[in-house]
């Protein structure tokens, strides 16, 4: 199957992010006019786009359905926990795969997120975006669960790779004979808080963790979510990191 | 010291990595789904994601009558039990192709529907693709990739350790050749099973080889030398059985079997509304030799001749080779004598006559065009030509 340039780019960015060994996070907030999120906002938690794979000895990546489901559940539960201290109303929104608009919006978030990454976090800054952060998914986001009447939506894109013992042996072995290093996996994720009226990305963050934390386990997911939700304008100021 | 580590490491690699996963899998049962913890479930998950995008894409032909027909033939071939496991998408691509994903997503490309001559030929293609699904060929292939990648790694790690780093690239060549070699074996199996499914459903076995025979004759007329060479070429990198071998095998199958239905009338009735669109799209491939050969082949059916001569005129006009302008005009003139000719033929005759310098003939054609297509978007332009010719 042919994959688009964008998918390749997302793949590259995620691999780059996976290479950095330690947990890191930098957040972006919109420079557009934006009224801060008040308490009792209704927030749509869009089914996270997660894909977790097994990294085999030769570097073949095998997607695992069970890990992916587990990771998704853990991430959603961790987000709920992380935001539990506030009075927001959190509405889970499982993706309706028969709804082409919803499928496209999740893809759009993946594409815009990858573009933000490649011009803000890694790669070349855009001169036209030097003093501003005004990315948007557009007002079309209202097509996402219009009946929920949500104020904001939280999108999250995450990829994880976990090395087999053969892969780990390979990495050690190659390092020993002086043939450099190979990846032994890791996790990367980015998330956006989207204003459901304008479609603007009011907050964006990237987090990557090395092979230490593991979103297949509840505590690993909690750690990743804690890092990624840093400075999200949904927590009370006194709780802000 | 380093050398000793190297040997130690290659020995370690050979023992540690050479474990192979079995590629001997049972056929999938009707409504069977893979275990969530399996590698197969991972393949399905990825293909489900790809299918969601396909489903939402403008590349899918959504005409209800055509989809119902293709779906009907599919269920006929694969049986009611499997019918709910397979989803067929008619994909708007001008190439002769069909494919099958492990999760039950089947694609039939319009370039194939354009070239199949009857329902039996479509049935054999569907049978072939369904065999890939039923035999879990993608899962087998995936496991072969993993095994071959590990073997290749053992090979290249061994060579690197032996101090000949350049030879490491050889590992990749054996990897590719092994994969494609396995691919050919699976295609043979799919041909055999597909033949069985379609003939069991009552279709005439002779049509299985016929579609390939036609394809060979079309490609022999390709503008591109590369395409013409490809028919005969057998290399370790070609995934499908050499076409001549395939035709021989399928012909031999048919000799042993009973005669069956072909259903050409139903096929033509369903696909002819798309002929104009598909033939035009075929020119995107920029292979005029094949396009004209295909049109001539369709002309032999003796139906839809206005459209077909018009499309042949278009192929000649766009090719712009020596003598093509004259050929195009002759085709347009011929097309205009049939009832089903598109009105745009008069616009093309007008343009051709004007270029030739025959003002009177051009004016007559343009006037006929405006009469036959009073709402044409280019009518103002044509009127301006008429005014100029009138001066």
């Amino acid at each position: 199957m042919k994959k688009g340039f964008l998918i390749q780019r997302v793949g590259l960015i995620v691999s780059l992010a996976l290479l950095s060994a330690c947990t890191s996070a930098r957040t972006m907030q919109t420079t557009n006019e934006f009224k801060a999120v008040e308490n009792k906002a209704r927030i749509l938690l869009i089914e996270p786009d997660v894909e977790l794979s097994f990294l085999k000895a030769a570097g073949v990546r095998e997607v695992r359905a069970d890990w992916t489901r587990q990771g998704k559940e853990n991430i959603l539960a961790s987000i709920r926990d992380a935001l539990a201290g506030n009075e927001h109303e959190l509405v889970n929104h499982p993706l309706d795969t028969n709804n082409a608009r919803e499928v496209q919006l999740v893809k759009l978030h993946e594409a815009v997120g990858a573009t933000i990454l490649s011009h803000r976090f890694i790669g070349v800054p855009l001169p036209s975006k030097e003093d501003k952060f005004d990315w948007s998914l557009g007002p079309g986001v209202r097509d996402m669960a219009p009946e929920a009447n949500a104020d904001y939506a939280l999108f999250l894109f995450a990829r994880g790779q976990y090395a087999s013992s053969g892969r780990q042996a390979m990495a050690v072995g190659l390092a020993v004979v002086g043939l450099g290093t190979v990846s032994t996996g890791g996790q990367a994720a980015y998330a956006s808080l989207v204003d459901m009226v304008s479609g603007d990305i009011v907050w964006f963050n990237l987090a990557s963790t090395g092979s230490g934390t593991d979103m297949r386990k509840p505590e690993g997911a909690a750690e990743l979510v804690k890092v990624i939700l840093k400075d999200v304008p949904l927590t009370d100021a006194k709780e802000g990191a | 010291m380093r050398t000793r580590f190297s040997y130690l490491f290659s020995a370690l690699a050979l023992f540690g990595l050479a474990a192979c996963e079995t590629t001997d899998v049972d056929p999938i049962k009707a409504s069977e789904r893979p275990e969530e913890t399996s590698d197969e479930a991972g393949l399905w998950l990825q293909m489900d994601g790809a299918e969601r995008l396909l489903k939402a894409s403008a590349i899918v032909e959504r005409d209800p009558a055509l989809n119902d027909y293709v779906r009907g033939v599919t269920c006929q071939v694969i049986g009611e039990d499997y019918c709910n496991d397979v989803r067929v998408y008619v994909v708007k691509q001008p190439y002769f192709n069909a494919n099958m994903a492990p999760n039950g997503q089947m694609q039939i490309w319009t370039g194939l529907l354009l070239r199949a001559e009857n329902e039996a030929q479509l049935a054999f293609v569907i049978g072939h693709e369904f065999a890939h699904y039923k035999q879990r060929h993608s899962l087998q292939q995936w496991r072969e990739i993993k095994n071959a990648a590990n073997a290749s790694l053992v090979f290249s790690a061994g060579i690197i350790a032996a101090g000949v780093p350049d030879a490491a690239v050889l590992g990749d060549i054996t990897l590719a050749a092994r994969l494609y070699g396995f691919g050919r074996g699976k295609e043979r199996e799919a041909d055999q099973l597909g033949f069985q499914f379609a003939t069991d459903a009552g279709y005439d076995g002779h049509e299985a080889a016929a579609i390939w025979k036609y394809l060979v004759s079309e490609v022999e007329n390709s503008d591109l030398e590369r395409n013409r060479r490809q028919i005969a070429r057998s290399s370790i990198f070609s995934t499908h059985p050499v076409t001549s071998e395939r035709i021989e095998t399928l012909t031999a199958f048919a000799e042993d079997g009973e005669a069956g239905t072909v259903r050409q009338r139903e096929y033509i009735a369903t696909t002819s509304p798309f002929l104009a669109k598909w033939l035009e799209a075929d020119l995107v491939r920029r292979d005029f030799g094949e396009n004209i050969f295909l049109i001539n082949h369709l002309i032999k059916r003796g139906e839809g001749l206005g459209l077909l001569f018009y499309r042949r005129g278009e192929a000649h006009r766009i090719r712009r080779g020596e003598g093509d302008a004259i050929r195009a005009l002759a085709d347009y003139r011929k097309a205009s004598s049939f009832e089903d000719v598109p009105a745009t033929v008069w616009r093309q005759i007008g343009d051709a006559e004007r270029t030739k310098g025959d003002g009177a003939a051009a004016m007559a054609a343009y006037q006929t065009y405006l009469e036959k297509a009073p709402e044409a978007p280019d009518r103002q332009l044509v009127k301006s030509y008429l005014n100029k010719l009138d001066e």
Side-chain angles (χ1 to χ4, degrees), chain A residues 62-63 69 97-98 177 179, chain B residues 36 39 42 55 142 146 160:
Chain A
E62 178 168 295
V63 173
R69 180 184 49 76
T97 53
N98 286 315
V177 295
L179 287 167
Chain B
E36 201 199 16
D39 52 353
K55 224 180 347 187
W142 174 237
K146 287 188 282 181
I160 290 167

Side-chain angles (χ1 to χ4, degrees), chain A residues 9 13 21 29-30 34 56 77 83 106 132 143-144 160 218 225 237:
Chain A
R9 198 170 60 172
I13 289 163
Q29 299 222 8
T30 188
F34 161 62
K56 301 252 171 183
L83 300 177
V106 169
K132 55 186 178 192
D143 292 349
M144 197 80 154
V225 165

Side-chain angles (χ1 to χ4, degrees), chain A residues 1-3 7 50-51 56-70 95 97-98 100-101 103-104 107 166-167 169-170 172-174 176-179, chain B residues 2 5-6 9 12-13 16-17 21 35-43 45-47 49-50 52-53 55-57 93 107 109 142 145-146 149-150 153 157 160-161:
Chain A
M1 195 176 26
K2 287 172 195 118
K3 296 214 173 177
I7 310 285
V50 177
E51 190 181 278
K56 301 252 171 183
V60 177
R61 198 175 58 80
E62 178 168 295
V63 173
R64 284 283 298 252
D66 50 340
W67 295 355
T68 298
R69 180 184 49 76
Q70 194 62 55
L95 194 62
T97 53
N98 286 315
R101 281 295 290 170
V103 172
Q104 296 288 9
K107 274 325 242 192
R167 179 74 180 172
M170 179 78 196
V172 172
L174 285 178
V176 166
V177 295
L179 287 167
Chain B
R2 173 131 173 195
F5 264 126
S6 304
F9 174 62
L12 182 98
L17 305 177
E21 287 181 76
E35 285 286 321
E36 201 199 16
T37 52
S38 64
D39 52 353
E40 191 174 20
L43 286 181
L45 186 74
Q46 280 179 295
M47 290 320 300
R52 281 201 289 276
L53 293 183
K55 224 180 347 187
S57 166
Q93 286 286 292
Q107 295 183 13
W109 290 12
W142 174 237
I145 290 171
K146 287 188 282 181
N150 279 347
L153 181 72
I160 290 167

Side-chain angles (χ1 to χ4, degrees), chain A residues 173-207:
Chain A
L174 285 178
V176 166
V177 295
L179 287 167
T181 55
V182 294
S183 167
T184 55
Q187 308 176 120
Y190 54 83
S192 308
L193 186 68
V194 175
D195 183 316
M196 284 301 267
V197 176
S198 63
D200 287 355
I201 294 178
V202 297
W203 165 93
F204 179 92
N205 195 18
L206 160 79

